[in-house]
Coordinates of all heavy atoms in Angstrom, one line a residue:
N13 N -28.9 -52.2 -4.7 CA -29.0 -53.5 -4.0 C -29.9 -54.5 -4.7 O -30.3 -55.5 -4.1 CB -29.6 -53.2 -2.6 CG -31.0 -52.6 -2.6 OD1 -31.5 -52.3 -3.7 ND2 -31.5 -52.3 -1.5
G14 N -30.3 -54.1 -5.9 CA -31.1 -55.0 -6.7 C -32.6 -54.7 -6.6 O -33.4 -55.3 -7.3
V15 N -33.0 -53.7 -5.8 CA -34.4 -53.3 -5.7 C -34.5 -51.8 -6.1 O -33.8 -51.0 -5.5 CB -34.9 -53.5 -4.3 CG1 -36.3 -53.0 -4.2 CG2 -34.8 -54.9 -3.8
L16 N -35.2 -51.5 -7.1 CA -35.3 -50.2 -7.6 C -36.8 -49.8 -7.5 O -37.7 -50.3 -8.2 CB -34.9 -50.1 -9.1 CG -35.0 -48.7 -9.7 CD1 -34.2 -47.6 -9.0 CD2 -34.6 -48.7 -11.2
D17 N -37.1 -48.8 -6.6 CA -38.4 -48.3 -6.4 C -38.6 -47.1 -7.2 O -38.0 -46.1 -6.9 CB -38.7 -48.1 -4.9 CG -40.1 -47.7 -4.6 OD1 -40.9 -47.4 -5.5 OD2 -40.5 -47.8 -3.4
L18 N -39.5 -47.1 -8.2 CA -39.6 -46.0 -9.1 C -40.6 -44.9 -8.6 O -40.8 -44.0 -9.3 CB -40.1 -46.5 -10.5 CG -39.1 -47.5 -11.1 CD1 -39.7 -48.0 -12.4 CD2 -37.8 -46.8 -11.4
H19 N -41.2 -45.1 -7.4 CA -42.2 -44.1 -6.9 C -41.6 -42.7 -6.8 O -42.4 -41.8 -6.8 CB -42.8 -44.6 -5.6 CG -43.7 -45.7 -5.8 ND1 -43.4 -47.0 -5.5 CD2 -45.0 -45.8 -6.2 CE1 -44.4 -47.8 -5.7 NE2 -45.4 -47.1 -6.2
T20 N -40.3 -42.6 -6.6 CA -39.7 -41.2 -6.4 C -39.2 -40.6 -7.7 O -38.6 -39.5 -7.7 CB -38.6 -41.3 -5.4 OG1 -37.6 -42.2 -5.9 CG2 -39.0 -41.7 -4.0
F21 N -39.5 -41.3 -8.8 CA -39.0 -40.8 -10.1 C -40.1 -40.5 -11.1 O -41.2 -41.0 -11.0 CB -38.1 -41.9 -10.8 CG -36.9 -42.2 -10.0 CD1 -36.8 -43.2 -9.1 CD2 -35.7 -41.4 -10.2 CE1 -35.7 -43.5 -8.4 CE2 -34.6 -41.7 -9.4 CZ -34.6 -42.7 -8.6
R22 N -39.8 -39.6 -12.0 CA -40.8 -39.2 -13.0 C -40.7 -40.2 -14.2 O -39.5 -40.6 -14.5 CB -40.6 -37.8 -13.5 CG -40.8 -36.7 -12.4 CD -40.7 -35.3 -12.9 NE -39.5 -35.0 -13.6 CZ -38.4 -34.5 -13.0 NH1 -38.4 -34.2 -11.8 NH2 -37.3 -34.3 -13.7
P23 N -41.7 -40.5 -14.9 CA -41.6 -41.4 -16.0 C -40.6 -41.0 -17.1 O -39.9 -41.9 -17.6 CB -43.0 -41.4 -16.6 CG -43.9 -41.0 -15.5 CD -43.1 -40.1 -14.6
N24 N -40.4 -39.7 -17.3 CA -39.4 -39.3 -18.3 C -38.0 -39.5 -17.8 O -37.1 -39.3 -18.6 CB -39.7 -37.8 -18.7 CG -39.4 -36.8 -17.6 OD1 -39.3 -37.2 -16.4 ND2 -39.4 -35.6 -17.9
E25 N -37.8 -39.9 -16.6 CA -36.4 -40.2 -16.1 C -36.0 -41.7 -16.4 O -34.9 -42.0 -16.2 CB -36.3 -39.9 -14.6 CG -36.5 -38.4 -14.3 CD -36.5 -38.1 -12.8 OE1 -37.3 -38.8 -12.1 OE2 -35.8 -37.2 -12.4
L26 N -37.0 -42.5 -16.7 CA -36.7 -43.9 -16.8 C -35.7 -44.3 -17.9 O -34.9 -45.2 -17.8 CB -38.0 -44.7 -17.1 CG -39.0 -44.8 -16.0 CD1 -40.2 -45.7 -16.5 CD2 -38.3 -45.5 -14.8
G27 N -35.7 -43.6 -19.0 CA -34.9 -43.9 -20.2 C -33.4 -43.9 -19.8 O -32.6 -44.7 -20.4
D28 N -33.0 -43.1 -18.9 CA -31.6 -43.1 -18.4 C -31.4 -43.9 -17.2 O -30.4 -44.6 -17.0 CB -31.1 -41.6 -18.1 CG -31.0 -40.8 -19.4 OD1 -30.7 -41.4 -20.5 OD2 -31.2 -39.6 -19.3
L29 N -32.4 -43.8 -16.3 CA -32.3 -44.4 -15.0 C -32.2 -45.9 -15.0 O -31.3 -46.5 -14.4 CB -33.5 -44.1 -14.1 CG -33.7 -44.8 -12.8 CD1 -32.6 -44.4 -11.8 CD2 -35.0 -44.5 -12.2
L30 N -33.1 -46.6 -15.8 CA -33.1 -48.0 -15.8 C -31.8 -48.7 -16.4 O -31.2 -49.5 -15.7 CB -34.4 -48.5 -16.5 CG -34.8 -50.0 -16.2 CD1 -34.8 -50.3 -14.7 CD2 -36.1 -50.3 -16.9
P31 N -31.3 -48.2 -17.5 CA -30.1 -48.8 -18.0 C -28.9 -48.5 -17.1 O -28.1 -49.4 -16.9 CB -29.9 -48.1 -19.4 CG -31.2 -47.6 -19.8 CD -32.0 -47.3 -18.5
E32 N -28.8 -47.3 -16.5 CA -27.8 -47.0 -15.6 C -27.8 -47.9 -14.3 O -26.8 -48.3 -13.8 CB -27.8 -45.5 -15.2 CG -27.4 -44.6 -16.3 CD -27.5 -43.1 -16.0 OE1 -27.8 -42.8 -14.9 OE2 -27.4 -42.3 -17.0
Y33 N -29.0 -48.1 -13.9 CA -29.2 -49.0 -12.7 C -28.8 -50.4 -13.0 O -28.1 -51.1 -12.2 CB -30.6 -49.0 -12.2 CG -30.8 -49.6 -10.8 CD1 -30.4 -49.0 -9.7 CD2 -31.3 -50.9 -10.8 CE1 -30.6 -49.6 -8.4 CE2 -31.4 -51.6 -9.5 CZ -31.0 -50.9 -8.4 OH -31.2 -51.6 -7.2
I34 N -29.1 -50.9 -14.2 CA -28.7 -52.3 -14.6 C -27.2 -52.4 -14.6 O -26.6 -53.3 -14.1 CB -29.4 -52.6 -15.9 CG1 -30.9 -52.9 -15.7 CG2 -28.7 -53.9 -16.5 CD1 -31.7 -53.1 -16.9
E35 N -26.6 -51.4 -15.2 CA -25.1 -51.4 -15.3 C -24.5 -51.3 -13.9 O -23.5 -52.1 -13.6 CB -24.6 -50.2 -16.1 CG -24.9 -50.2 -17.6 CD -24.0 -51.3 -18.2 OE1 -22.9 -51.7 -17.7 OE2 -24.5 -51.8 -19.3
A36 N -25.0 -50.5 -13.0 CA -24.5 -50.4 -11.6 C -24.7 -51.8 -10.9 O -23.8 -52.2 -10.1 CB -25.2 -49.3 -10.9
C37 N -25.8 -52.4 -11.1 CA -26.0 -53.7 -10.5 C -25.0 -54.7 -11.0 O -24.4 -55.5 -10.2 CB -27.4 -54.2 -10.7 SG -28.6 -53.4 -9.7
L38 N -24.7 -54.7 -12.3 CA -23.7 -55.7 -12.9 C -22.4 -55.4 -12.3 O -21.6 -56.4 -12.1 CB -23.7 -55.5 -14.4 CG -24.9 -56.2 -15.1 CD1 -24.9 -55.8 -16.6 CD2 -24.9 -57.7 -14.9
E39 N -22.0 -54.1 -12.1 CA -20.7 -53.8 -11.5 C -20.6 -54.4 -10.1 O -19.5 -54.7 -9.6 CB -20.5 -52.3 -11.4 CG -20.3 -51.7 -12.8 CD -20.2 -50.2 -12.8 OE1 -20.2 -49.6 -11.7 OE2 -20.3 -49.6 -13.8
K40 N -21.7 -54.6 -9.4 CA -21.7 -55.2 -8.0 C -22.1 -56.7 -8.0 O -22.3 -57.2 -7.0 CB -22.7 -54.4 -7.1 CG -22.2 -53.0 -6.8 CD -23.2 -52.4 -5.8 CE -22.6 -51.1 -5.3 NZ -22.6 -51.0 -3.9
D41 N -22.1 -57.3 -9.2 CA -22.4 -58.7 -9.4 C -23.8 -59.0 -8.9 O -24.1 -60.1 -8.4 CB -21.4 -59.6 -8.7 CG -20.1 -59.6 -9.5 OD1 -20.1 -59.5 -10.7 OD2 -19.0 -59.6 -8.8
I42 N -24.7 -58.1 -9.0 CA -26.2 -58.3 -8.7 C -26.9 -58.7 -10.0 O -26.8 -57.9 -10.9 CB -26.8 -57.0 -8.0 CG1 -26.1 -56.7 -6.7 CG2 -28.3 -57.2 -7.8 CD1 -26.5 -55.3 -6.2
T43 N -27.4 -59.8 -10.0 CA -28.1 -60.3 -11.3 C -29.6 -60.5 -11.2 O -30.2 -60.8 -12.2 CB -27.4 -61.6 -11.8 OG1 -27.5 -62.6 -10.8 CG2 -25.9 -61.3 -12.1
S44 N -30.1 -60.4 -10.0 CA -31.6 -60.6 -9.8 C -32.1 -59.2 -9.3 O -31.7 -58.8 -8.2 CB -31.9 -61.6 -8.8 OG -31.5 -62.9 -9.3
L45 N -33.0 -58.6 -10.1 CA -33.5 -57.3 -9.7 C -35.0 -57.3 -9.5 O -35.7 -58.2 -10.0 CB -33.3 -56.3 -10.9 CG -31.9 -56.3 -11.5 CD1 -31.8 -55.2 -12.6 CD2 -30.8 -56.0 -10.5
R46 N -35.4 -56.4 -8.7 CA -36.9 -56.2 -8.5 C -37.1 -54.7 -8.8 O -36.6 -53.8 -8.1 CB -37.2 -56.5 -7.0 CG -38.7 -56.3 -6.7 CD -38.9 -56.6 -5.2 NE -40.4 -56.7 -5.0 CZ -41.1 -57.8 -5.1 NH1 -40.5 -58.9 -5.4 NH2 -42.4 -57.8 -4.9
I47 N -37.9 -54.5 -9.8 CA -38.3 -53.1 -10.2 C -39.7 -52.8 -9.7 O -40.6 -53.5 -10.2 CB -38.2 -52.9 -11.7 CG1 -36.9 -53.5 -12.3 CG2 -38.4 -51.5 -12.1 CD1 -35.7 -52.7 -12.0
I48 N -39.8 -51.9 -8.8 CA -41.2 -51.6 -8.2 C -41.7 -50.4 -9.0 O -41.2 -49.3 -8.9 CB -41.1 -51.3 -6.7 CG1 -40.4 -52.5 -6.0 CG2 -42.4 -51.0 -6.2 CD1 -40.0 -52.2 -4.6
H49 N -42.7 -50.7 -9.8 CA -43.3 -49.6 -10.6 C -44.7 -49.3 -10.1 O -45.3 -48.3 -10.6 CB -43.4 -50.0 -12.1 CG -43.7 -51.4 -12.3 ND1 -45.0 -51.9 -12.1 CD2 -42.9 -52.4 -12.8 CE1 -44.9 -53.2 -12.4 NE2 -43.7 -53.6 -12.8
G50 N -45.3 -50.0 -9.2 CA -46.6 -49.8 -8.8 C -47.7 -50.3 -9.7 O -47.3 -50.8 -10.8
K51 N -48.9 -50.3 -9.3 CA -50.0 -50.8 -10.2 C -50.6 -49.7 -11.0 O -50.4 -49.8 -12.2 CB -51.0 -51.5 -9.3 CG -50.5 -52.7 -8.6 CD -51.5 -53.4 -7.7 CE -50.8 -54.6 -7.0 NZ -51.7 -55.3 -6.1
G52 N -51.2 -48.7 -10.5 CA -51.7 -47.6 -11.2 C -52.4 -48.0 -12.5 O -53.1 -48.9 -12.6
T53 N -52.1 -47.2 -13.5 CA -52.8 -47.4 -14.8 C -52.0 -48.4 -15.7 O -52.5 -48.8 -16.7 CB -52.8 -46.1 -15.6 OG1 -51.5 -45.7 -15.9 CG2 -53.6 -45.0 -14.9
G54 N -50.8 -48.7 -15.3 CA -50.0 -49.7 -16.0 C -49.1 -49.0 -17.0 O -48.2 -49.7 -17.6
A55 N -49.2 -47.7 -17.1 CA -48.3 -47.0 -18.1 C -46.8 -47.1 -17.7 O -46.0 -47.4 -18.5 CB -48.7 -45.5 -18.2
L56 N -46.5 -47.0 -16.4 CA -45.1 -47.1 -16.0 C -44.6 -48.5 -16.1 O -43.5 -48.7 -16.6 CB -45.0 -46.6 -14.5 CG -43.6 -46.4 -13.9 CD1 -42.8 -45.5 -14.8 CD2 -43.7 -46.0 -12.5
R57 N -45.5 -49.5 -15.8 CA -45.1 -50.9 -16.0 C -44.7 -51.1 -17.5 O -43.7 -51.7 -17.8 CB -46.2 -51.8 -15.6 CG -45.8 -53.3 -15.8 CD -47.0 -54.2 -15.5 NE -48.0 -54.1 -16.5 CZ -49.2 -53.7 -16.4 NH1 -49.7 -53.3 -15.2 NH2 -50.1 -53.6 -17.4
R58 N -45.6 -50.7 -18.4 CA -45.3 -50.8 -19.8 C -44.0 -50.2 -20.3 O -43.3 -50.7 -21.1 CB -46.5 -50.4 -20.6 CG -47.7 -51.3 -20.5 CD -48.8 -50.9 -21.5 NE -49.4 -49.6 -21.3 CZ -50.3 -49.3 -20.4 NH1 -50.9 -50.2 -19.7 NH2 -50.8 -48.0 -20.3
G59 N -43.8 -49.0 -19.7 CA -42.5 -48.3 -20.0 C -41.3 -49.0 -19.6 O -40.3 -49.2 -20.3
V60 N -41.4 -49.6 -18.3 CA -40.3 -50.4 -17.8 C -40.1 -51.6 -18.7 O -39.0 -51.9 -19.1 CB -40.6 -50.8 -16.3 CG1 -39.7 -51.9 -15.9 CG2 -40.5 -49.6 -15.4
H61 N -41.2 -52.3 -19.0 CA -41.0 -53.5 -19.9 C -40.5 -53.2 -21.2 O -39.7 -54.0 -21.8 CB -42.4 -54.2 -19.9 CG -42.8 -54.9 -18.7 ND1 -43.9 -55.6 -18.5 CD2 -42.2 -54.9 -17.4 CE1 -44.0 -56.1 -17.3 NE2 -43.0 -55.6 -16.6
A62 N -40.8 -52.1 -21.8 CA -40.3 -51.7 -23.1 C -38.8 -51.4 -23.0 O -38.0 -51.9 -23.9 CB -41.0 -50.4 -23.6
L63 N -38.3 -50.8 -21.9 CA -36.9 -50.6 -21.7 C -36.2 -51.9 -21.5 O -35.1 -52.1 -22.0 CB -36.7 -49.6 -20.6 CG -37.0 -48.2 -20.9 CD1 -37.1 -47.4 -19.6 CD2 -36.1 -47.6 -21.9
L64 N -36.8 -52.8 -20.8 CA -36.2 -54.1 -20.5 C -36.1 -54.9 -21.8 O -35.1 -55.6 -22.0 CB -37.0 -54.9 -19.5 CG -37.0 -54.3 -18.1 CD1 -38.0 -55.1 -17.2 CD2 -35.6 -54.3 -17.5
D65 N -37.1 -54.8 -22.7 CA -37.0 -55.5 -24.0 C -35.8 -55.1 -24.8 O -35.3 -55.9 -25.6 CB -38.3 -55.2 -24.8 CG -39.5 -56.0 -24.2 OD1 -39.3 -57.1 -23.6 OD2 -40.7 -55.6 -24.5
R66 N -35.4 -53.8 -24.7 CA -34.3 -53.3 -25.5 C -33.0 -53.4 -24.8 O -32.0 -53.1 -25.5 CB -34.6 -51.8 -25.8 CG -35.8 -51.6 -26.7 CD -35.9 -50.2 -27.3 NE -36.0 -49.2 -26.3 CZ -37.1 -48.7 -25.8 NH1 -38.3 -49.1 -26.2 NH2 -37.1 -47.7 -24.9
N67 N -32.9 -53.8 -23.6 CA -31.6 -53.8 -22.9 C -30.9 -55.2 -23.1 O -31.5 -56.2 -22.9 CB -31.8 -53.6 -21.4 CG -30.5 -53.4 -20.7 OD1 -29.7 -54.2 -20.6 ND2 -30.4 -52.2 -20.1
P68 N -29.7 -55.1 -23.6 CA -29.0 -56.3 -24.0 C -28.6 -57.2 -22.8 O -28.2 -58.3 -23.0 CB -27.7 -55.8 -24.7 CG -27.5 -54.4 -24.2 CD -28.9 -53.9 -23.9
H69 N -28.6 -56.6 -21.6 CA -28.2 -57.4 -20.4 C -29.4 -58.2 -19.8 O -29.2 -59.1 -18.9 CB -27.6 -56.5 -19.3 CG -26.4 -55.8 -19.8 ND1 -25.2 -56.4 -20.1 CD2 -26.2 -54.5 -20.0 CE1 -24.4 -55.5 -20.5 NE2 -24.9 -54.3 -20.4
V70 N -30.6 -57.9 -20.2 CA -31.8 -58.6 -19.7 C -31.9 -60.0 -20.3 O -32.1 -60.1 -21.5 CB -33.0 -57.7 -19.9 CG1 -34.3 -58.5 -19.4 CG2 -32.9 -56.4 -19.2
V71 N -31.9 -61.0 -19.4 CA -32.1 -62.4 -19.8 C -33.6 -62.7 -19.8 O -34.1 -63.3 -20.8 CB -31.3 -63.3 -18.9 CG1 -31.6 -64.8 -19.2 CG2 -29.8 -63.0 -18.9
S72 N -34.3 -62.3 -18.8 CA -35.7 -62.5 -18.7 C -36.3 -61.6 -17.6 O -35.6 -61.0 -16.8 CB -36.0 -64.0 -18.2 OG -35.5 -64.2 -16.9
Y73 N -37.6 -61.4 -17.7 CA -38.3 -60.7 -16.7 C -39.8 -61.2 -16.6 O -40.3 -61.7 -17.6 CB -38.3 -59.2 -16.9 CG -39.0 -58.6 -18.1 CD1 -40.3 -58.3 -18.1 CD2 -38.3 -58.5 -19.3 CE1 -41.0 -57.8 -19.2 CE2 -38.9 -58.0 -20.5 CZ -40.3 -57.7 -20.4 OH -40.9 -57.2 -21.5
S74 N -40.4 -61.0 -15.5 CA -41.8 -61.4 -15.3 C -42.4 -60.5 -14.1 O -41.6 -60.0 -13.3 CB -41.9 -62.8 -15.0 OG -41.2 -63.1 -13.8
L75 N -43.7 -60.5 -14.1 CA -44.3 -59.8 -13.0 C -44.1 -60.6 -11.7 O -44.1 -61.8 -11.8 CB -45.8 -59.6 -13.3 CG -46.2 -58.6 -14.4 CD1 -47.6 -58.6 -14.7 CD2 -45.7 -57.2 -14.1
A76 N -44.0 -59.9 -10.6 CA -43.8 -60.6 -9.3 C -45.1 -61.4 -9.0 O -46.2 -61.1 -9.4 CB -43.6 -59.6 -8.2
T77 N -44.9 -62.5 -8.3 CA -46.0 -63.4 -8.0 C -46.3 -63.3 -6.5 O -47.2 -64.1 -6.0 CB -45.8 -64.9 -8.4 OG1 -44.6 -65.3 -7.8 CG2 -45.6 -65.0 -9.9
D78 N -45.6 -62.5 -5.8 CA -45.9 -62.4 -4.3 C -47.0 -61.4 -4.1 O -47.7 -61.0 -5.0 CB -44.6 -62.0 -3.6 CG -44.0 -60.7 -4.1 OD1 -44.7 -60.0 -4.9 OD2 -42.9 -60.3 -3.7
R79 N -47.1 -60.8 -2.9 CA -48.2 -59.9 -2.6 C -48.2 -58.7 -3.4 O -49.2 -58.0 -3.5 CB -48.2 -59.6 -1.1 CG -47.0 -58.8 -0.6 CD -47.0 -58.6 0.9 NE -45.8 -57.9 1.3 CZ -45.6 -56.6 1.3 NH1 -46.6 -55.8 1.0 NH2 -44.5 -56.1 1.8
S80 N -47.1 -58.2 -4.0 CA -47.1 -57.0 -4.8 C -47.6 -57.3 -6.2 O -48.0 -56.4 -6.9 CB -45.6 -56.5 -5.0 OG -44.8 -57.4 -5.7
S81 N -47.7 -58.6 -6.5 CA -48.2 -59.1 -7.8 C -47.8 -58.2 -9.0 O -46.6 -58.0 -9.1 CB -49.7 -59.3 -7.8 OG -50.4 -58.0 -7.8
W82 N -48.7 -57.6 -9.7 CA -48.2 -56.8 -10.9 C -47.7 -55.4 -10.6 O -47.6 -54.6 -11.5 CB -49.3 -56.9 -12.0 CG -50.7 -56.6 -11.5 CD1 -51.6 -57.4 -10.9 CD2 -51.4 -55.3 -11.6 NE1 -52.8 -56.8 -10.7 CE2 -52.7 -55.5 -11.1 CE3 -51.0 -54.1 -12.1 CZ2 -53.6 -54.5 -11.0 CZ3 -52.0 -53.0 -12.0 CH2 -53.2 -53.2 -11.5
G83 N -47.4 -55.1 -9.3 CA -46.9 -53.8 -9.0 C -45.3 -53.9 -9.0 O -44.7 -52.8 -8.8
A84 N -44.8 -55.0 -9.3 CA -43.3 -55.1 -9.4 C -42.9 -56.1 -10.5 O -43.7 -57.0 -10.8 CB -42.7 -55.6 -8.1
T85 N -41.8 -55.9 -11.1 CA -41.3 -56.8 -12.1 C -39.9 -57.4 -11.6 O -39.1 -56.6 -11.1 CB -41.1 -56.0 -13.5 OG1 -42.3 -55.6 -13.9 CG2 -40.4 -56.9 -14.5
L86 N -39.8 -58.7 -11.8 CA -38.6 -59.4 -11.4 C -37.7 -59.5 -12.7 O -38.3 -60.0 -13.7 CB -38.9 -60.7 -10.8 CG -39.8 -60.7 -9.6 CD1 -40.1 -62.1 -9.1 CD2 -39.2 -59.8 -8.5
V87 N -36.5 -59.2 -12.6 CA -35.6 -59.2 -13.8 C -34.3 -60.0 -13.5 O -33.7 -59.9 -12.4 CB -35.2 -57.7 -14.1 CG1 -34.4 -57.7 -15.4 CG2 -36.4 -56.8 -14.2

Side-chain angles (χ1 to χ4, degrees):
N13 63 359
V15 178
L16 179 60
D17 187 342
L18 298 177
H19 286 102
T20 56
F21 296 95
R22 295 185 305 268
N24 64 348
E25 296 174 310
L26 287 182
D28 291 329
L29 173 67
L30 199 51
E32 288 174 11
Y33 189 80
I34 288 172
E35 288 291 337
C37 285
L38 286 170
E39 288 173 14
K40 291 187 169 228
D41 292 322
I42 298 170
T43 58
S44 293
L45 313 180
R46 180 183 193 87
I47 312 289
I48 302 169
H49 39 69
K51 295 179 181 177
T53 64
L56 191 56
R57 179 186 74 241
R58 287 189 298 274
V60 166
H61 289 184
L63 289 167
L64 294 174
D65 284 337
R66 295 192 299 266
N67 191 294
H69 299 296
V70 174
V71 175
S72 65
Y73 66 88
S74 63
L75 291 175
T77 58
D78 58 10
R79 64 184 176 86
S80 66
S81 72
W82 47 278
T85 294
L86 306 177
V87 185

